[in-house]
C-alpha cells in the first residue's frame, strides 16, 4: 500500500489540548490568478475537490507546543463559508472575563513538508479540514459539507 501525500489525522491527535479560534473564517486568496478590475484576488479553489478554500487561524492550547506550532492556520474546502460555534465567556483569575471560541476540526488531514525559511530547514505540517464545529460535535454533518463527519 502506498502512502498518500495527504493523510487523515484525528483532531485530538494533532491538538490534544484543543484549539482556540482567532479572528474569523476568511476566504483564501488565489495569488496565482490575475487580479480583478477592483484589484482584489479571486478565492482559491481546492485542487482535489474544486471547492472554495477558507482559512481559520487557531491557537494550539497544548502547553508542549513549540513557538512555531502555537499559531496554526488550517484550510477548509467547503461550498459555503464554515460557521464557527458561538464564543463562550471564560473567567480567568486576575484577568476578568474573556470571550473565547473553541473549535474542533472535522475530516482533518495533514501534509508534511520541509520549511526552508529561516536559518535551517525544518519539518512542518500543512492542515486541511472538511469543516469546523464545537468541541465534541465532530460526528455531526454541517451545512457546508453534509457528508462531513460520516465514516467513509
Amino acid at each position: 500500500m502506498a502512502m498518500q501525500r495527504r493523510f487523515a489525522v484525528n483532531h485530538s491527535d494533532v491538538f490534544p489540548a484543543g484549539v482556540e479560534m482567532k479572528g474569523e473564517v476568511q476566504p483564501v486568496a488565489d495569488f496565482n490568478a490575475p487580479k480583478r478590475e477592483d484589484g482584489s484576488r479571486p478565492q482559491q479553489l481546492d485542487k482535489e475537490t474544486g471547492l472554495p478554500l477558507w482559512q481559520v487561524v487557531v491557537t494550539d492550547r497544548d502547553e508542549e507546543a513549540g513557538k512555531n506550532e502555537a499559531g496554526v492556520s488550517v484550510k477548509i474546502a467547503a461550498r459555503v463559508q464554515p460557521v464557527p460555534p458561538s464564543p463562550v465567556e471564560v473567567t480567568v483569575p486576575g484577568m476578568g472575563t474573556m470571550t473565547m471560541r473553541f473549535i474542533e476540526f472535522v475530516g482533518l488531514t495533514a501534509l508534511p513538508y520541509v520549511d526552508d525559511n529561516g536559518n535551517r530547514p525544518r519539518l512542518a505540517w500543512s492542515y486541511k479540514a472538511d469543516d469546523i464545529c464545537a468541541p465534541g460535535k465532530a460526528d455531526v454533518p454541517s451545512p457546508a459539507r453534509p457528508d462531513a463527519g460520516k465514516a467513509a
Side-chain angles (χ1 to χ4, degrees), residues 25-44:
V25 177
Q26 299 288 327
V28 177
D30 187 347
F31 289 100
N32 292 324
K35 288 184 180 179
R36 297 179 181 135
E37 287 185 26
D38 66 359
S40 66
R41 300 251 182 216
Q43 188 170 357
Q44 186 176 5

Side-chain angles (χ1 to χ4, degrees), residues 17-133:
V19 294
E20 177 191 350
M21 185 174 149
K22 294 298 191 187
E24 299 297 325
V25 177
Q26 299 288 327
V28 177
D30 187 347
F31 289 100
N32 292 324
K35 288 184 180 179
R36 297 179 181 135
E37 287 185 26
D38 66 359
S40 66
R41 300 251 182 216
Q43 188 170 357
Q44 186 176 5
L45 300 178
D46 183 53
K47 293 175 186 171
E48 296 168 7
T49 65
L51 294 171
L53 280 175
W54 307 88
Q55 180 172 277
V56 62
V57 176
V58 296
T59 299
D60 188 345
R61 306 297 298 167
D62 188 355
E63 294 293 327
E64 304 278 323
K67 68 177 183 175
N68 292 333
E69 301 164 336
V72 179
S73 176
V74 178
K75 292 182 180 175
I76 302 166
R79 286 187 292 275
V80 297
Q81 183 174 0
V83 178
S86 298
V88 295
E89 297 288 323
V90 178
T91 302
V92 179
M95 296 181 71
T97 302
M98 303 173 76
T99 301
M100 305 176 100
R101 191 181 309 241
F102 299 102
I103 64 170
E104 188 172 318
F105 292 104
V106 177
L108 188 62
T109 60
L111 174 68
Y113 68 96
V114 175
D115 179 2
D116 55 6
N117 295 321
N119 295 335
R120 61 179 191 204
R122 67 178 185 90
L123 179 64
W125 296 91
S126 170
Y127 296 105
K128 189 165 69 171
D130 292 331
D131 202 2
I132 57 176
C133 64

Side-chain angles (χ1 to χ4, degrees), residues 131-147:
D131 202 2
I132 57 176
C133 64
K137 304 288 184 187
D139 59 344
V140 178
S142 74
R145 294 287 304 264
D147 58 337

